[in-house]
Amino acid sequence: MADKIRNLEIRGARNVAISAVKAIENAATHTKAKTAEAFAEELLQAKEVLYAARPTEPLMRNAIKWVIGSVESSQKDEVKALVRLISSSACEFLTNLERSRDRIAEVGSKRINNGTVVFTHCHSSTVTHLLTKASKGMKTFRVICTETRPLFQGRVTAREMLELGVETTLIIDSATRCCIKQADLVIVGADALTAEGNVVNKIGTAAIALLAQEARVPFYVVSELLKFDPATLCGHYESIEERGRFEIWRGAPENLVIHNPAFEVVRRDFIHGIICEEGIIPPHSVYETVVRKYPWVLM
Ligand code: RUB
């Protein structure tokens, strides 16, 4: 599973977290450990392997923390009982994640009316869930999506929108400035929420936020609050994944320096609101909202 995450066979923060939870559950179910200590050690190893698969994935880390935490805080010492605990906390986590996504779609789809033009970037399953909800609510709107170089995740969004019957326009990333004026709002996903209320998302998102501000188009981020990275509270920067040069140019001259960051930070000043399971909140109140709703994330 870690290989699939690393190779982007599984991508998008939510899908990565769901797969990691399933991988932990699978590892637990197939354990050969005879003692609770050996079982805990196996879980720790699985956690390390998954953490290393992609660095900018706090939802995955929080998910694993929740699932493994059930064993860490348990008094049980029979391995079978601990395996059952992993399965039930994994199931609980995935159910709650699904609920959060539905709530985000319910809240966010109200911002879409007949005739609205939505601008989006990359492929976020949370964004497309929201747009699906709006479309099934019989709203007729239009979507503009960027192709999202170098790996073209925007094509996935475009296909999904067409399958829904939504009029969709695909643009190259560098056409954003000339096209964003047509949009009524921008909605993008998130990979990480930081203590300062900044958002980390696919490379290109910060430029879109700047251009949205210039064109006076409201810029919204949809995100489960569990994408909050508690390490940012302690002064750490969210680490930004650097991907291989071959994604940009296979066969490039060897002495050419190629820089390929997968994500970037969008400063909170550019964000109108974070659409999360607690409603639409200003970016600077993300920390308080996480403390209230998910205190365990900070422990
Ligand atoms: C995907 C990306 C998405 C977020 C949110 O990047 O940046 O916007 O992960 O997705 P990559 P979701 O393709 O490199 O993983 O809403 O599905 O969590």
Side-chain angles (χ1 to χ4, degrees):
M1 195 63 91
D3 282 343
K4 285 187 178 168
I5 293 172
R6 198 175 302 111
N7 304 334
L8 301 192
E9 265 176 72
I10 295 163
R11 60 186 171 200
R14 215 174 156 276
N15 290 332
V16 166
I18 292 171
S19 305
V21 166
K22 290 183 177 162
I24 293 281
E25 191 186 1
N26 191 45
T29 316
H30 293 94
T31 184
K32 297 214 165 30
K34 300 273 180 284
T35 64
E37 290 72 33
F39 182 62
E41 185 52 39
E42 276 184 9
L43 291 177
L44 210 64
Q45 279 172 16
K47 172 175 124 173
E48 297 302 327
V49 171
L50 288 162
Y51 271 29
R54 282 196 92 180
T56 320
E57 299 293 350
L59 179 63
M60 167 172 73
R61 295 195 290 272
N62 289 331
I64 293 175
K65 180 177 180 166
W66 169 265
V67 176
I68 293 187
S70 64
V71 165
E72 286 167 352
S73 60
S74 166
Q75 304 299 321
K76 298 189 168 93
D77 55 8
E78 198 207 342
V79 174
K80 268 192 188 155
L82 295 174
V83 171
R84 280 197 297 274
L85 212 51
I86 290 283
S87 287
S88 64
S89 64
C91 176
E92 188 182 3
F93 187 89
L94 296 179
T95 308
N96 287 336
L97 196 64
E98 194 62 42
R99 277 200 197 118
S100 296
R101 190 175 68 146
D102 288 346
R103 178 79 186 127
I104 290 168
E106 193 186 320
V107 172
S109 60
K110 291 185 187 143
R111 290 285 156 121
I112 298 174
N113 299 309
N114 282 328
T116 299
V117 179
V118 182
F119 190 103
T120 192
H121 181 54
C122 195
H123 177 260
S124 152
S125 60
T126 322
V127 171
T128 56
H129 193 63
L130 184 161
L131 296 174
T132 305
K133 170 110 184 147
S135 160
K136 298 219 161 120
M138 296 318 208
K139 290 177 184 166
T140 310
F141 58 93
R142 196 158 76 80
V143 169
I144 302 176
C145 54
T146 54
E147 58 180 358
T148 318
R149 273 198 49 85
L151 295 177
F152 305 107
Q153 290 95 326
R155 293 178 186 172
V156 181
T157 305
R159 263 189 215 286
E160 281 185 24
M161 291 302 103
L162 290 179
E163 277 161 21
L164 275 177
V166 172
E167 188 186 330
T168 306
T169 307
L170 184 77
I171 61 167
I172 54 171
D173 300 350
S174 44
T176 296
R177 188 164 188 256
C178 76
C179 298
I180 205 162
K181 299 181 203 82
Q182 300 167 29
D184 296 298
L185 75 166
V186 177
I187 309 181
V188 294
D191 286 276
L193 307 175
T194 75
E196 302 100 316
N198 298 331
V199 166
V200 178
N201 193 47
K202 176 56 57 190
I203 194 77
T205 310
I208 294 171
L210 269 164
L211 296 172
Q213 188 178 65
E214 184 196 44
R216 297 186 195 288
V217 177
F219 181 96
Y220 290 95
V221 173
V222 294
S223 177
E224 292 88 354
L225 288 167
L226 285 174
K227 288 179 177 170
F228 181 79
D229 184 350
T232 58
L233 263 179
C234 310
H236 294 286
Y237 286 109
E238 183 65 40
S239 54
I240 302 289
E241 179 183 1
E242 176 74 25
R243 297 201 55 90
R245 55 191 277 125
F246 59 88
E247 285 183 356
I248 293 187
W249 188 358
R250 217 171 264 284
E254 256 172 43
N255 54 350
L256 177 68
V257 177
I258 294 184
H259 179 33
N260 184 16
F263 304 105
E264 67 180 338
V265 177
V266 183
R267 279 209 347 250
R268 67 180 194 181
D269 321 53
F270 296 97
I271 301 169
H272 274 64
I274 310 255
I275 308 177
C276 65
E277 59 270 45
E278 290 292 276
I280 303 186
I281 61 170
H284 57 262
S285 66
V286 160
Y287 167 68
E288 282 82 7
T289 319
V290 171
V291 170
R292 182 164 44 77
K293 180 110 178 134
Y294 305 109
W296 57 269
V297 165
L298 303 158
M299 287 166 189

PDB file of all heavy atoms in Angstrom, residues 224-256:
ATOM      1  N   GLU A 224     -11.555  18.430   5.434  1.00  0.00           N
ATOM      2  CA  GLU A 224     -11.853  17.838   6.738  1.00  0.00           C
ATOM      3  C   GLU A 224     -10.877  18.469   7.724  1.00  0.00           C
ATOM      4  O   GLU A 224      -9.705  18.674   7.399  1.00  0.00           O
ATOM      5  CB  GLU A 224     -11.614  16.318   6.729  1.00  0.00           C
ATOM      6  CG  GLU A 224     -12.581  15.524   5.873  1.00  0.00           C
ATOM      7  CD  GLU A 224     -12.143  15.385   4.423  1.00  0.00           C
ATOM      8  OE1 GLU A 224     -11.125  16.015   4.024  1.00  0.00           O
ATOM      9  OE2 GLU A 224     -12.811  14.660   3.676  1.00  0.00           O
ATOM     10  N   LEU A 225     -11.354  18.748   8.940  1.00  0.00           N
ATOM     11  CA  LEU A 225     -10.484  19.373   9.948  1.00  0.00           C
ATOM     12  C   LEU A 225      -9.316  18.471  10.323  1.00  0.00           C
ATOM     13  O   LEU A 225      -8.307  18.939  10.842  1.00  0.00           O
ATOM     14  CB  LEU A 225     -11.297  19.714  11.196  1.00  0.00           C
ATOM     15  CG  LEU A 225     -12.261  20.895  11.010  1.00  0.00           C
ATOM     16  CD1 LEU A 225     -13.235  20.955  12.178  1.00  0.00           C
ATOM     17  CD2 LEU A 225     -11.506  22.203  10.870  1.00  0.00           C
ATOM     18  N   LEU A 226      -9.464  17.168  10.070  1.00  0.00           N
ATOM     19  CA  LEU A 226      -8.381  16.251  10.429  1.00  0.00           C
ATOM     20  C   LEU A 226      -7.183  16.364   9.482  1.00  0.00           C
ATOM     21  O   LEU A 226      -6.201  15.643   9.634  1.00  0.00           O
ATOM     22  CB  LEU A 226      -8.900  14.811  10.500  1.00  0.00           C
ATOM     23  CG  LEU A 226      -9.732  14.538  11.760  1.00  0.00           C
ATOM     24  CD1 LEU A 226     -10.344  13.150  11.704  1.00  0.00           C
ATOM     25  CD2 LEU A 226      -8.876  14.683  13.022  1.00  0.00           C
ATOM     26  N   LYS A 227      -7.246  17.317   8.548  1.00  0.00           N
ATOM     27  CA  LYS A 227      -6.048  17.594   7.755  1.00  0.00           C
ATOM     28  C   LYS A 227      -5.136  18.579   8.499  1.00  0.00           C
ATOM     29  O   LYS A 227      -4.086  18.976   8.001  1.00  0.00           O
ATOM     30  CB  LYS A 227      -6.430  18.122   6.372  1.00  0.00           C
ATOM     31  CG  LYS A 227      -7.006  17.014   5.491  1.00  0.00           C
ATOM     32  CD  LYS A 227      -7.408  17.504   4.133  1.00  0.00           C
ATOM     33  CE  LYS A 227      -7.909  16.332   3.277  1.00  0.00           C
ATOM     34  NZ  LYS A 227      -8.521  16.781   2.032  1.00  0.00           N
ATOM     35  N   PHE A 228      -5.550  18.964   9.692  1.00  0.00           N
ATOM     36  CA  PHE A 228      -4.721  19.842  10.522  1.00  0.00           C
ATOM     37  C   PHE A 228      -3.448  19.106  10.928  1.00  0.00           C
ATOM     38  O   PHE A 228      -3.504  17.947  11.363  1.00  0.00           O
ATOM     39  CB  PHE A 228      -5.509  20.227  11.782  1.00  0.00           C
ATOM     40  CG  PHE A 228      -4.758  21.152  12.692  1.00  0.00           C
ATOM     41  CD1 PHE A 228      -4.685  22.501  12.422  1.00  0.00           C
ATOM     42  CD2 PHE A 228      -4.117  20.660  13.821  1.00  0.00           C
ATOM     43  CE1 PHE A 228      -3.982  23.358  13.267  1.00  0.00           C
ATOM     44  CE2 PHE A 228      -3.417  21.505  14.673  1.00  0.00           C
ATOM     45  CZ  PHE A 228      -3.354  22.859  14.393  1.00  0.00           C
ATOM     46  N   ASP A 229      -2.309  19.796  10.787  1.00  0.00           N
ATOM     47  CA  ASP A 229      -1.051  19.180  11.199  1.00  0.00           C
ATOM     48  C   ASP A 229      -0.613  19.732  12.548  1.00  0.00           C
ATOM     49  O   ASP A 229      -0.177  20.887  12.634  1.00  0.00           O
ATOM     50  CB  ASP A 229       0.038  19.437  10.151  1.00  0.00           C
ATOM     51  CG  ASP A 229       1.322  18.705  10.519  1.00  0.00           C
ATOM     52  OD1 ASP A 229       1.414  18.177  11.642  1.00  0.00           O
ATOM     53  OD2 ASP A 229       2.236  18.670   9.673  1.00  0.00           O
ATOM     54  N   PRO A 230      -0.702  18.939  13.627  1.00  0.00           N
ATOM     55  CA  PRO A 230      -0.363  19.453  14.953  1.00  0.00           C
ATOM     56  C   PRO A 230       1.107  19.862  15.090  1.00  0.00           C
ATOM     57  O   PRO A 230       1.444  20.694  15.920  1.00  0.00           O
ATOM     58  CB  PRO A 230      -0.701  18.278  15.890  1.00  0.00           C
ATOM     59  CG  PRO A 230      -0.739  17.075  15.021  1.00  0.00           C
ATOM     60  CD  PRO A 230      -1.113  17.534  13.652  1.00  0.00           C
ATOM     61  N   ALA A 231       1.981  19.300  14.242  1.00  0.00           N
ATOM     62  CA  ALA A 231       3.409  19.652  14.338  1.00  0.00           C
ATOM     63  C   ALA A 231       3.629  21.134  14.023  1.00  0.00           C
ATOM     64  O   ALA A 231       4.583  21.748  14.515  1.00  0.00           O
ATOM     65  CB  ALA A 231       4.221  18.781  13.392  1.00  0.00           C
ATOM     66  N   THR A 232       2.722  21.731  13.237  1.00  0.00           N
ATOM     67  CA  THR A 232       2.897  23.143  12.874  1.00  0.00           C
ATOM     68  C   THR A 232       2.706  24.050  14.103  1.00  0.00           C
ATOM     69  O   THR A 232       3.167  25.175  14.120  1.00  0.00           O
ATOM     70  CB  THR A 232       1.936  23.572  11.739  1.00  0.00           C
ATOM     71  OG1 THR A 232       0.583  23.328  12.153  1.00  0.00           O
ATOM     72  CG2 THR A 232       2.203  22.816  10.459  1.00  0.00           C
ATOM     73  N   LEU A 233       2.022  23.528  15.118  1.00  0.00           N
ATOM     74  CA  LEU A 233       1.847  24.272  16.376  1.00  0.00           C
ATOM     75  C   LEU A 233       3.170  24.440  17.107  1.00  0.00           C
ATOM     76  O   LEU A 233       3.359  25.393  17.847  1.00  0.00           O
ATOM     77  CB  LEU A 233       0.942  23.453  17.318  1.00  0.00           C
ATOM     78  CG  LEU A 233      -0.532  23.751  17.392  1.00  0.00           C
ATOM     79  CD1 LEU A 233      -1.162  22.791  18.373  1.00  0.00           C
ATOM     80  CD2 LEU A 233      -0.791  25.183  17.799  1.00  0.00           C
ATOM     81  N   CYS A 234       4.039  23.458  16.912  1.00  0.00           N
ATOM     82  CA  CYS A 234       5.322  23.461  17.633  1.00  0.00           C
ATOM     83  C   CYS A 234       6.417  24.103  16.794  1.00  0.00           C
ATOM     84  O   CYS A 234       7.604  23.900  17.048  1.00  0.00           O
ATOM     85  CB  CYS A 234       5.734  22.041  17.994  1.00  0.00           C
ATOM     86  SG  CYS A 234       4.429  21.137  18.783  1.00  0.00           S
ATOM     87  N   GLY A 235       6.032  24.825  15.751  1.00  0.00           N
ATOM     88  CA  GLY A 235       7.021  25.572  14.977  1.00  0.00           C
ATOM     89  C   GLY A 235       7.506  24.875  13.721  1.00  0.00           C
ATOM     90  O   GLY A 235       8.227  25.474  12.931  1.00  0.00           O
ATOM     91  N   HIS A 236       7.108  23.626  13.544  1.00  0.00           N
ATOM     92  CA  HIS A 236       7.569  22.937  12.322  1.00  0.00           C
ATOM     93  C   HIS A 236       6.804  23.476  11.114  1.00  0.00           C
ATOM     94  O   HIS A 236       5.615  23.762  11.208  1.00  0.00           O
ATOM     95  CB  HIS A 236       7.293  21.433  12.410  1.00  0.00           C
ATOM     96  CG  HIS A 236       8.094  20.768  13.476  1.00  0.00           C
ATOM     97  ND1 HIS A 236       9.438  20.530  13.345  1.00  0.00           N
ATOM     98  CD2 HIS A 236       7.743  20.311  14.698  1.00  0.00           C
ATOM     99  CE1 HIS A 236       9.885  19.954  14.440  1.00  0.00           C
ATOM    100  NE2 HIS A 236       8.877  19.813  15.282  1.00  0.00           N
ATOM    101  N   TYR A 237       7.492  23.573  10.002  1.00  0.00           N
ATOM    102  CA  TYR A 237       6.799  23.862   8.750  1.00  0.00           C
ATOM    103  C   TYR A 237       6.246  22.557   8.220  1.00  0.00           C
ATOM    104  O   TYR A 237       6.840  21.497   8.446  1.00  0.00           O
ATOM    105  CB  TYR A 237       7.750  24.448   7.708  1.00  0.00           C
ATOM    106  CG  TYR A 237       8.140  25.881   7.977  1.00  0.00           C
ATOM    107  CD1 TYR A 237       9.426  26.205   8.391  1.00  0.00           C
ATOM    108  CD2 TYR A 237       7.213  26.905   7.829  1.00  0.00           C
ATOM    109  CE1 TYR A 237       9.782  27.525   8.637  1.00  0.00           C
ATOM    110  CE2 TYR A 237       7.565  28.225   8.079  1.00  0.00           C
ATOM    111  CZ  TYR A 237       8.852  28.521   8.486  1.00  0.00           C
ATOM    112  OH  TYR A 237       9.185  29.812   8.727  1.00  0.00           O
ATOM    113  N   GLU A 238       5.119  22.633   7.511  1.00  0.00           N
ATOM    114  CA  GLU A 238       4.629  21.427   6.835  1.00  0.00           C
ATOM    115  C   GLU A 238       5.670  21.071   5.776  1.00  0.00           C
ATOM    116  O   GLU A 238       6.065  21.938   4.981  1.00  0.00           O
ATOM    117  CB  GLU A 238       3.281  21.753   6.172  1.00  0.00           C
ATOM    118  CG  GLU A 238       2.625  20.586   5.494  1.00  0.00           C
ATOM    119  CD  GLU A 238       2.219  19.495   6.492  1.00  0.00           C
ATOM    120  OE1 GLU A 238       1.752  19.823   7.582  1.00  0.00           O
ATOM    121  OE2 GLU A 238       2.413  18.313   6.148  1.00  0.00           O
ATOM    122  N   SER A 239       6.150  19.840   5.779  1.00  0.00           N
ATOM    123  CA  SER A 239       7.175  19.546   4.766  1.00  0.00           C
ATOM    124  C   SER A 239       6.506  19.350   3.411  1.00  0.00           C
ATOM    125  O   SER A 239       5.411  18.775   3.317  1.00  0.00           O
ATOM    126  CB  SER A 239       8.019  18.339   5.161  1.00  0.00           C
ATOM    127  OG  SER A 239       7.165  17.265   5.413  1.00  0.00           O
ATOM    128  N   ILE A 240       7.156  19.872   2.406  1.00  0.00           N
ATOM    129  CA  ILE A 240       6.593  19.824   1.053  1.00  0.00           C
ATOM    130  C   ILE A 240       7.317  18.746   0.261  1.00  0.00           C
ATOM    131  O   ILE A 240       8.545  18.775   0.127  1.00  0.00           O
ATOM    132  CB  ILE A 240       6.739  21.197   0.345  1.00  0.00           C
ATOM    133  CG1 ILE A 240       6.055  22.317   1.160  1.00  0.00           C
ATOM    134  CG2 ILE A 240       6.223  21.134  -1.092  1.00  0.00           C
ATOM    135  CD1 ILE A 240       4.553  22.309   1.197  1.00  0.00           C
ATOM    136  N   GLU A 241       6.525  17.825  -0.251  1.00  0.00           N
ATOM    137  CA  GLU A 241       7.097  16.704  -1.001  1.00  0.00           C
ATOM    138  C   GLU A 241       7.756  17.181  -2.297  1.00  0.00           C
ATOM    139  O   GLU A 241       7.156  17.934  -3.061  1.00  0.00           O
ATOM    140  CB  GLU A 241       5.944  15.738  -1.325  1.00  0.00           C
ATOM    141  CG  GLU A 241       6.347  14.533  -2.112  1.00  0.00           C
ATOM    142  CD  GLU A 241       5.131  13.670  -2.440  1.00  0.00           C
ATOM    143  OE1 GLU A 241       3.989  14.024  -2.076  1.00  0.00           O
ATOM    144  OE2 GLU A 241       5.336  12.640  -3.089  1.00  0.00           O
ATOM    145  N   GLU A 242       8.973  16.736  -2.520  1.00  0.00           N
ATOM    146  CA  GLU A 242       9.676  17.025  -3.782  1.00  0.00           C
ATOM    147  C   GLU A 242       9.583  15.747  -4.614  1.00  0.00           C
ATOM    148  O   GLU A 242       9.998  14.677  -4.175  1.00  0.00           O
ATOM    149  CB  GLU A 242      11.136  17.403  -3.488  1.00  0.00           C
ATOM    150  CG  GLU A 242      12.002  17.644  -4.697  1.00  0.00           C
ATOM    151  CD  GLU A 242      11.725  18.964  -5.420  1.00  0.00           C
ATOM    152  OE1 GLU A 242      11.219  19.914  -4.797  1.00  0.00           O
ATOM    153  OE2 GLU A 242      12.019  19.023  -6.640  1.00  0.00           O
ATOM    154  N   ARG A 243       9.053  15.845  -5.814  1.00  0.00           N
ATOM    155  CA  ARG A 243       8.877  14.638  -6.622  1.00  0.00           C
ATOM    156  C   ARG A 243       9.975  14.547  -7.690  1.00  0.00           C
ATOM    157  O   ARG A 243      10.744  15.491  -7.882  1.00  0.00           O
ATOM    158  CB  ARG A 243       7.473  14.633  -7.235  1.00  0.00           C
ATOM    159  CG  ARG A 243       6.427  14.569  -6.115  1.00  0.00           C
ATOM    160  CD  ARG A 243       5.103  14.057  -6.574  1.00  0.00           C
ATOM    161  NE  ARG A 243       5.176  12.770  -7.212  1.00  0.00           N
ATOM    162  CZ  ARG A 243       5.073  11.586  -6.571  1.00  0.00           C
ATOM    163  NH1 ARG A 243       4.883  11.553  -5.276  1.00  0.00           N
ATOM    164  NH2 ARG A 243       5.137  10.455  -7.247  1.00  0.00           N
ATOM    165  N   GLY A 244       9.993  13.423  -8.371  1.00  0.00           N
ATOM    166  CA  GLY A 244      11.090  13.144  -9.311  1.00  0.00           C
ATOM    167  C   GLY A 244      11.081  14.063 -10.532  1.00  0.00           C
ATOM    168  O   GLY A 244      10.030  14.534 -10.974  1.00  0.00           O
ATOM    169  N   ARG A 245      12.289  14.278 -11.089  1.00  0.00           N
ATOM    170  CA  ARG A 245      12.452  15.154 -12.254  1.00  0.00           C
ATOM    171  C   ARG A 245      11.780  14.559 -13.494  1.00  0.00           C
ATOM    172  O   ARG A 245      11.310  15.269 -14.370  1.00  0.00           O
ATOM    173  CB  ARG A 245      13.933  15.413 -12.512  1.00  0.00           C
ATOM    174  CG  ARG A 245      14.775  14.163 -12.665  1.00  0.00           C
ATOM    175  CD  ARG A 245      16.266  14.470 -12.649  1.00  0.00           C
ATOM    176  NE  ARG A 245      16.762  14.888 -13.958  1.00  0.00           N
ATOM    177  CZ  ARG A 245      17.414  16.032 -14.153  1.00  0.00           C
ATOM    178  NH1 ARG A 245      17.634  16.852 -13.160  1.00  0.00           N
ATOM    179  NH2 ARG A 245      17.850  16.363 -15.356  1.00  0.00           N
ATOM    180  N   PHE A 246      11.704  13.198 -13.522  1.00  0.00           N
ATOM    181  CA  PHE A 246      11.144  12.535 -14.711  1.00  0.00           C
ATOM    182  C   PHE A 246       9.669  12.892 -14.905  1.00  0.00           C
ATOM    183  O   PHE A 246       9.134  12.792 -16.002  1.00  0.00           O
ATOM    184  CB  PHE A 246      11.310  11.020 -14.596  1.00  0.00           C
ATOM    185  CG  PHE A 246      10.637  10.452 -13.382  1.00  0.00           C
ATOM    186  CD1 PHE A 246       9.306  10.072 -13.434  1.00  0.00           C
ATOM    187  CD2 PHE A 246      11.314  10.347 -12.169  1.00  0.00           C
ATOM    188  CE1 PHE A 246       8.662   9.577 -12.310  1.00  0.00           C
ATOM    189  CE2 PHE A 246      10.682   9.858 -11.040  1.00  0.00           C
ATOM    190  CZ  PHE A 246       9.350   9.478 -11.109  1.00  0.00           C
ATOM    191  N   GLU A 247       8.991  13.321 -13.838  1.00  0.00           N
ATOM    192  CA  GLU A 247       7.577  13.704 -13.991  1.00  0.00           C
ATOM    193  C   GLU A 247       7.440  14.946 -14.884  1.00  0.00           C
ATOM    194  O   GLU A 247       6.415  15.175 -15.502  1.00  0.00           O
ATOM    195  CB  GLU A 247       6.952  14.028 -12.617  1.00  0.00           C
ATOM    196  CG  GLU A 247       6.657  12.797 -11.782  1.00  0.00           C
ATOM    197  CD  GLU A 247       5.974  13.116 -10.462  1.00  0.00           C
ATOM    198  OE1 GLU A 247       5.774  14.304 -10.131  1.00  0.00           O
ATOM    199  OE2 GLU A 247       5.653  12.157  -9.736  1.00  0.00           O
ATOM    200  N   ILE A 248       8.519  15.748 -14.915  1.00  0.00           N
ATOM    201  CA  ILE A 248       8.470  16.981 -15.693  1.00  0.00           C
ATOM    202  C   ILE A 248       9.072  16.788 -17.083  1.00  0.00           C
ATOM    203  O   ILE A 248       8.542  17.256 -18.073  1.00  0.00           O
ATOM    204  CB  ILE A 248       9.194  18.106 -14.917  1.00  0.00           C
ATOM    205  CG1 ILE A 248       8.388  18.427 -13.653  1.00  0.00           C
ATOM    206  CG2 ILE A 248       9.399  19.346 -15.786  1.00  0.00           C
ATOM    207  CD1 ILE A 248       8.864  19.598 -12.859  1.00  0.00           C
ATOM    208  N   TRP A 249      10.181  16.078 -17.129  1.00  0.00           N
ATOM    209  CA  TRP A 249      10.851  15.889 -18.429  1.00  0.00           C
ATOM    210  C   TRP A 249      11.656  14.595 -18.399  1.00  0.00           C
ATOM    211  O   TRP A 249      12.729  14.540 -17.832  1.00  0.00           O
ATOM    212  CB  TRP A 249      11.765  17.092 -18.726  1.00  0.00           C
ATOM    213  CG  TRP A 249      12.356  17.109 -20.115  1.00  0.00           C
ATOM    214  CD1 TRP A 249      12.203  16.172 -21.093  1.00  0.00           C
ATOM    215  CD2 TRP A 249      13.203  18.125 -20.652  1.00  0.00           C
ATOM    216  NE1 TRP A 249      12.892  16.538 -22.213  1.00  0.00           N
ATOM    217  CE2 TRP A 249      13.519  17.735 -21.983  1.00  0.00           C
ATOM    218  CE3 TRP A 249      13.728  19.331 -20.176  1.00  0.00           C
ATOM    219  CZ2 TRP A 249      14.333  18.503 -22.807  1.00  0.00           C
ATOM    220  CZ3 TRP A 249      14.546  20.092 -20.991  1.00  0.00           C
ATOM    221  CH2 TRP A 249      14.841  19.682 -22.307  1.00  0.00           C
ATOM    222  N   ARG A 250      11.091  13.580 -19.007  1.00  0.00           N
ATOM    223  CA  ARG A 250      11.810  12.302 -19.122  1.00  0.00           C
ATOM    224  C   ARG A 250      12.893  12.483 -20.175  1.00  0.00           C
ATOM    225  O   ARG A 250      12.621  13.015 -21.253  1.00  0.00           O
ATOM    226  CB  ARG A 250      10.828  11.211 -19.568  1.00  0.00           C
ATOM    227  CG  ARG A 250      11.060   9.882 -18.953  1.00  0.00           C
ATOM    228  CD  ARG A 250       9.932   8.929 -19.267  1.00  0.00           C
ATOM    229  NE  ARG A 250       8.942   8.892 -18.199  1.00  0.00           N
ATOM    230  CZ  ARG A 250       9.130   8.246 -17.053  1.00  0.00           C
ATOM    231  NH1 ARG A 250      10.245   7.583 -16.822  1.00  0.00           N
ATOM    232  NH2 ARG A 250       8.187   8.259 -16.131  1.00  0.00           N
ATOM    233  N   GLY A 251      14.131  12.126 -19.843  1.00  0.00           N
ATOM    234  CA  GLY A 251      15.219  12.291 -20.809  1.00  0.00           C
ATOM    235  C   GLY A 251      15.766  13.708 -20.852  1.00  0.00           C
ATOM    236  O   GLY A 251      16.400  14.108 -21.836  1.00  0.00           O
ATOM    237  N   ALA A 252      15.537  14.477 -19.815  1.00  0.00           N
ATOM    238  CA  ALA A 252      16.055  15.859 -19.773  1.00  0.00           C
ATOM    239  C   ALA A 252      17.578  15.833 -19.703  1.00  0.00           C
ATOM    240  O   ALA A 252      18.157  14.856 -19.208  1.00  0.00           O
ATOM    241  CB  ALA A 252      15.499  16.569 -18.540  1.00  0.00           C
ATOM    242  N   PRO A 253      18.263  16.898 -20.207  1.00  0.00           N
ATOM    243  CA  PRO A 253      19.734  16.944 -20.087  1.00  0.00           C
ATOM    244  C   PRO A 253      20.134  16.760 -18.619  1.00  0.00           C
ATOM    245  O   PRO A 253      19.492  17.330 -17.733  1.00  0.00           O
ATOM    246  CB  PRO A 253      20.073  18.372 -20.554  1.00  0.00           C
ATOM    247  CG  PRO A 253      18.890  18.815 -21.347  1.00  0.00           C
ATOM    248  CD  PRO A 253      17.694  18.064 -20.850  1.00  0.00           C
ATOM    249  N   GLU A 254      21.177  15.962 -18.411  1.00  0.00           N
ATOM    250  CA  GLU A 254      21.526  15.573 -17.039  1.00  0.00           C
ATOM    251  C   GLU A 254      21.884  16.743 -16.146  1.00  0.00           C
ATOM    252  O   GLU A 254      21.616  16.740 -14.955  1.00  0.00           O
ATOM    253  CB  GLU A 254      22.690  14.583 -17.070  1.00  0.00           C
ATOM    254  CG  GLU A 254      22.201  13.167 -16.812  1.00  0.00           C
ATOM    255  CD  GLU A 254      23.277  12.156 -17.018  1.00  0.00           C
ATOM    256  OE1 GLU A 254      24.403  12.404 -16.565  1.00  0.00           O
ATOM    257  OE2 GLU A 254      22.980  11.117 -17.657  1.00  0.00           O
ATOM    258  N   ASN A 255      22.543  17.767 -16.754  1.00  0.00           N
ATOM    259  CA  ASN A 255      22.994  18.884 -15.915  1.00  0.00           C
ATOM    260  C   ASN A 255      21.906  19.947 -15.719  1.00  0.00           C
ATOM    261  O   ASN A 255      22.156  20.999 -15.154  1.00  0.00           O
ATOM    262  CB  ASN A 255      24.277  19.507 -16.474  1.00  0.00           C
ATOM    263  CG  ASN A 255      24.104  19.902 -17.930  1.00  0.00           C
ATOM    264  OD1 ASN A 255      23.097  19.539 -18.546  1.00  0.00           O
ATOM    265  ND2 ASN A 255      25.050  20.628 -18.475  1.00  0.00           N
ATOM    266  N   LEU A 256      20.706  19.642 -16.175  1.00  0.00           N
ATOM    267  CA  LEU A 256      19.599  20.585 -15.968  1.00  0.00           C
ATOM    268  C   LEU A 256      19.013  20.365 -14.573  1.00  0.00           C
ATOM    269  O   LEU A 256      18.686  19.235 -14.201  1.00  0.00           O
ATOM    270  CB  LEU A 256      18.509  20.345 -17.026  1.00  0.00           C
ATOM    271  CG  LEU A 256      17.254  21.207 -16.892  1.00  0.00           C
ATOM    272  CD1 LEU A 256      17.554  22.680 -17.183  1.00  0.00           C
ATOM    273  CD2 LEU A 256      16.162  20.713 -17.841  1.00  0.00           C
TER     274      LEU A 256
END
